[in-house]
Amino acid sequence: MRIHAERPEDELAVGSILEKAFAGPAEAALVTDLRKCRDVISLVAVEEGEVAGHILFSPVQLLLDGEFVADGSGLAPMAVAADRQRSGIGGSLIKAGWTNSVRITACSWSYWDTLSTTLVSDSSPHPEEASAASTREFPTRPS
């Protein structure tokens, strides 16, 4: 598997993967719009000459009680071709994206020692129903 920055020739395959993964065109349209933004990181995983997965990181601002705290990156969407899921492609795309995103380390250490990321299962339609087991803490201080 090879991961590289999305190229114009990847766009059709990315759109197809997103439409299948999200059962409709909404996420593909979102990616089309986000491609126009500055500082977007859009990566594809290629296996056997075909795009097998895609991930996009876009700039976000972290707020606390409505006040600006730090710049960051939002991960969304991510999709892997159905016949290639559970093979490590998604995890590899996430790692490559975090590695390439300088904004991830922009958090102000005076506010947090760690950032908590909540992962909500697709089987739960309501984020508030996510179990404690679905929350992981990722250290954000440089080593």
Side-chain angles (χ1 to χ4, degrees):
M1 173 183 45
R2 189 171 43 91
I3 294 176
H4 65 79
E6 182 187 26
R7 301 173 184 151
E9 60 267 24
D10 299 326
E11 290 179 12
L12 285 176
V14 167
S16 177
I17 289 171
L18 288 166
E19 286 185 18
K20 290 174 184 170
F22 292 97
E27 297 294 323
L30 172 66
V31 168
T32 298
D33 288 343
L34 288 173
R35 283 184 185 119
K36 300 170 191 170
C37 298
R38 274 187 41 215
D39 299 326
V40 169
I41 296 171
S42 185
L43 304 174
V44 295
V46 178
E47 279 190 337
E48 300 173 13
E50 293 183 17
V51 174
H54 173 261
I55 195 165
L56 188 133
F57 294 82
S58 56
V60 297
Q61 290 189 333
L62 302 175
L63 304 176
L64 180 63
D65 297 327
E67 297 293 322
F68 174 80
V69 174
D71 291 319
S73 286
L75 180 171
M78 181 185 78
V80 175
D83 63 336
R84 299 207 170 124
Q85 291 179 1
R86 303 218 179 266
S87 66
I89 292 172
S92 294
L93 283 166
I94 291 169
K95 287 177 188 173
W98 287 145
T99 300
N100 286 294
S101 179
V102 296
R103 291 175 303 280
I104 294 303
T105 59
C107 293
S108 171
W109 308 128
S110 63
Y111 285 95
W112 301 287
D113 287 335
T114 60
L115 289 178
S116 292
T117 301
T118 302
L119 308 172
V120 181
S121 166
D122 289 340
S123 64
S124 173
H126 306 288
E128 64 274 9
E129 293 177 6
S131 69
S134 68
T135 300
R136 308 281 191 271
E137 287 191 356
F138 298 94
T140 55
R141 286 185 187 264
S143 301

